[in-house]
Amino acid sequence: MSATDYDLIVIGAGSGGVRAARVAGGHGAKVAIIEDFRVGGTCVIRGCVPKKLYVLASRFHDEFEDARGFGWRTGPVDFDWGALVAAKEKEITRLSGLYEQTLAKNGVALIRGRASLIGPDSVALSDGRNLRAPHILIATGGAPALAPSVPGIEHAISSNEVFDLPVLPKRLAIIGSGYIAVEFASLFVRLGVQTTLLYRAGLPLRGFDEDLRKHLAIALAQSGVDLRPGVSPRRIDKSATGFNVTLDDDSVLDADIVLAATGRRPATNGLGLDKIGVAMRDNGAIIVDAQSRTSISSIYAVGDVTDRINLTPVAIREGHAFADSVFGSTPRIVDYDNVASAVFTTPEIGAVGLSETAASERFPNIDIFETAFRPMRATLSGRSERVYMKLVVNADSQKVLGAHLFGPEAGEMIQLVAVALQMGATKQDFDSTMAVHPTMAEELVTLRTPDRQLRREQIT
Ligand code: NDP
């Protein structure tokens, strides 16, 4: 061990850590990154990437059905779960390999093992070695938080295990109605799984605009998901064929698999942070300033471990900004305004900016422009699918404060709407933009009068 093993030690090779390590390496820093699992982190290995692949797989269910309305005669089709799992595995192995190559290309040393901090500039490795660097970056992400108060919760799996189930379950019970719960409900029901969504709120997806939540609930029910709002599991017991989930309304649900999607917590356990005095919140999140610096000036943290906005692109930006600021010549901080997000249900949700409720709390006068319509494809397919779009506008400044989309490719659409919002677009900017016809997105530039009546009629 020397005083200067590395300029930077990064703990965790997920989205934020890999970006920071490779950019710092590119700036000429001597960098090591420590990882005890596969390189790529949650997003690549058991999050966004495999999830989206499974969502795409599930959508063929609708494609086969809808094709008939367009003149196609299709024969019997079946679905091979094992083939999907194997194909997914091949792809994430490829991506993980690319990450490793990128690190190597930038001179970053990849060290396999677990790390804990033993001082402001010192890290202990699980193989007994100690390493030192004047800068340490913690990018360990998050881990599923299973509701511990439910007896039998150990029978439940988390999103970590769901991708590699040896067989496709016949009956799936999902606890929670956040991003993970609704995305898996939407995809598994399309793969032919009898899916039940158990959630304690009245509507799924707390935090999103109320109207999107209502539309999502309708769409999930239409796709065959058994929605059970207002319930919590009281206990989970093993049964002869699977598990019995006893709910607090005294009903009992049989399931082959119980998926707990009840949130994630920052992965700080075992890092030794309390021992060296890194300040954390009660949930274990590392407290950082705008530069991602912790209460110890040589230690930084980015991504889900800081519990700011827990999205991959945010972690990447934070990691990049850290590396540019500390090792490059372009210090900067991350702008957290107008962070768009997508929920990959079918149809999708895309949202950016303030919800109607949040905008009403912040501004005295807001206008709501909205539309709900049947997409063109549904006219021939016969699918009872609705698209819903809402713009939240500051009535005084005419600035668009938020956009909330529910429909096919809403995730693609919202990325572009986010550019407009980031530039400070007004409602007139949307109105003066020529429509692209016939598209769903054209509705965004043809919303003319605030129409509250429509909302009352469409969603009750
Ligand atoms: P979320 O925080 O989004 O949702 C947690 C859900 O669990 C909520 O429905 C919550 O209910 C419920 N819940 C929490 N505790 C309990 C309990 N004790 N009993 C019953 N229900 C409970 O977490 P997720 O796990 O869905 O996702 C974690 C994070 O991963 C997200 O915050 C997101 O940042 C990220 N993610 C992003 C995706 C994307 O961008 N598309 C996709 C997947 C994940 P209630 O609402 O009533 O509190």
Side-chain angles (χ1 to χ4, degrees):
M1 185 179 84
S2 78
T4 56
D5 291 308
Y6 294 98
D7 299 320
L8 169 67
I9 294 173
V10 179
I11 306 176
S15 302
V18 167
R19 175 60 65 95
R22 79 133 165 100
V23 173
H27 286 311
K30 190 178 176 200
V31 184
I33 191 165
I34 306 168
E35 173 62 57
D36 71 342
F37 189 54
R38 299 168 72 180
V39 172
T42 301
C43 182
V44 172
I45 307 298
R46 46 197 184 190
C48 343
V49 172
K51 181 274 311 286
K52 185 79 184 273
L53 292 172
Y54 284 20
V55 167
L56 294 175
S58 75
R59 287 182 181 163
F60 286 100
H61 169 273
D62 299 13
E63 301 284 325
F64 293 131
E65 280 185 3
D66 290 359
R68 289 189 205 120
F70 291 83
W72 288 92
R73 297 285 167 264
T74 50
V77 292
D78 62 359
F79 171 68
D80 182 343
W81 169 254
L84 175 64
V85 173
K88 176 273 297 178
E89 187 52 36
K90 198 169 158 203
E91 174 57 8
I92 65 168
T93 301
R94 185 185 73 85
L95 290 174
S96 183
L98 286 179
Y99 268 59
E100 287 191 28
Q101 280 174 30
T102 305
L103 290 170
K105 234 185 277 170
N106 287 281
V108 177
L110 174 59
I111 298 174
R112 301 288 182 174
R114 281 198 81 77
S116 59
L117 281 95
I118 49 172
D121 60 354
S122 304
V123 167
L125 287 171
S126 43
D127 65 9
R129 280 185 295 160
N130 290 346
L131 298 175
R132 293 185 74 185
H135 300 96
I136 294 172
L137 177 71
I138 304 168
T140 46
L146 307 192
S149 56
V150 178
I153 193 69
E154 67 276 7
H155 297 311
I157 63 164
S158 73
S159 57
N160 281 355
E161 293 80 42
V162 74
F163 292 107
D164 294 303
L165 289 173
V167 288
L168 186 65
K170 287 196 169 49
R171 302 160 306 170
L172 173 68
I174 302 177
I175 306 169
S177 62
Y179 283 84
I180 293 178
V182 298
E183 288 182 340
F184 281 112
S186 177
L187 83 83
F188 274 112
V189 79
R190 285 177 168 76
L191 298 182
V193 178
Q194 194 184 312
T195 304
T196 308
L197 196 63
L198 308 166
Y199 52 103
R200 56 192 185 184
L203 286 170
L205 221 48
R206 185 164 54 86
F208 278 77
D209 190 275
E210 199 75 0
D211 288 317
L212 290 186
R213 300 174 69 190
K214 290 175 184 167
H215 277 280
L216 174 64
I218 293 168
L220 286 171
Q222 280 173 347
S223 66
V225 178
D226 180 4
L227 297 183
R228 304 276 186 93
V231 296
S232 290
R234 195 185 290 150
R235 56 179 302 114
I236 303 170
D237 296 292
K238 225 172 163 349
S239 70
T241 54
F243 302 100
N244 290 332
V245 185
T246 306
L247 303 171
D248 58 2
D249 62 3
D250 290 329
S251 61
V252 179
L253 182 75
D254 296 329
D256 303 317
I257 295 286
V258 181
L259 169 64
T262 46
R264 293 174 62 84
R265 58 172 168 68
T268 45
N269 280 349
L271 282 177
L273 300 180
D274 41 350
K275 287 191 203 116
I276 62 164
V278 173
M280 290 182 282
R281 295 211 297 273
D282 287 346
N283 68 349
I286 299 175
I287 299 171
V288 288
D289 65 13
Q291 278 82 31
S292 294
R293 195 189 287 256
T294 71
S295 56
I296 292 183
S297 63
S298 56
I299 301 176
Y300 294 74
V302 296
D304 287 8
V305 77
T306 64
D307 198 20
R308 285 176 279 185
I309 298 180
N310 297 332
L311 296 172
T312 292
V314 175
I316 290 172
R317 281 283 169 97
E318 289 169 352
H320 205 130
F322 155 78
D324 278 349
S325 303
V326 176
F327 298 100
S329 51
T330 47
R332 60 199 163 79
I333 57 171
V334 174
D335 177 1
Y336 293 97
D337 283 340
N338 296 316
V339 175
S341 74
V343 184
F344 293 100
T345 47
T346 302
E348 294 174 3
I349 281 177
V352 63
L354 299 180
S355 67
E356 181 178 344
T357 310
S360 315
E361 285 161 8
R362 287 192 23 198
F363 297 95
N365 302 306
I366 60 158
D367 276 337
I368 300 299
F369 296 83
E370 63 186 342
T371 181
F373 58 95
R374 211 169 168 212
M376 188 188 245
R377 178 177 162 133
T379 58
L380 296 200
S381 72
R383 188 171 292 282
S384 52
E385 180 181 328
R386 306 288 287 178
V387 174
Y388 175 77
M389 296 177 170
K390 174 194 276 190
L391 290 183
V392 181
V393 177
N394 182 336
D396 298 317
S397 67
Q398 285 300 301
K399 222 173 138 171
V400 179
L401 303 170
H404 306 278
L405 314 180
F406 180 73
E409 307 299 348
E412 303 291 339
M413 279 188 255
I414 206 68
Q415 179 67 84
L416 303 179
V417 176
V419 176
L421 262 64
Q422 188 67 358
M423 295 174 75
T426 61
K427 180 65 172 60
Q428 284 67 37
D429 292 323
F430 275 72
D431 294 345
S432 65
T433 303
M434 197 67 79
V436 178
H437 185 71
T439 63
M440 288 174 278
E442 71 179 306
E443 297 290 330
L444 286 167
V445 297
T446 56
L447 293 167
R448 289 296 174 246
T449 45
D451 190 350
R452 296 185 157 269
Q453 187 59 32
L454 169 77
R455 187 168 58 239
R456 279 197 292 276
E457 284 168 6
Q458 297 292 338
I459 326 164
T460 42

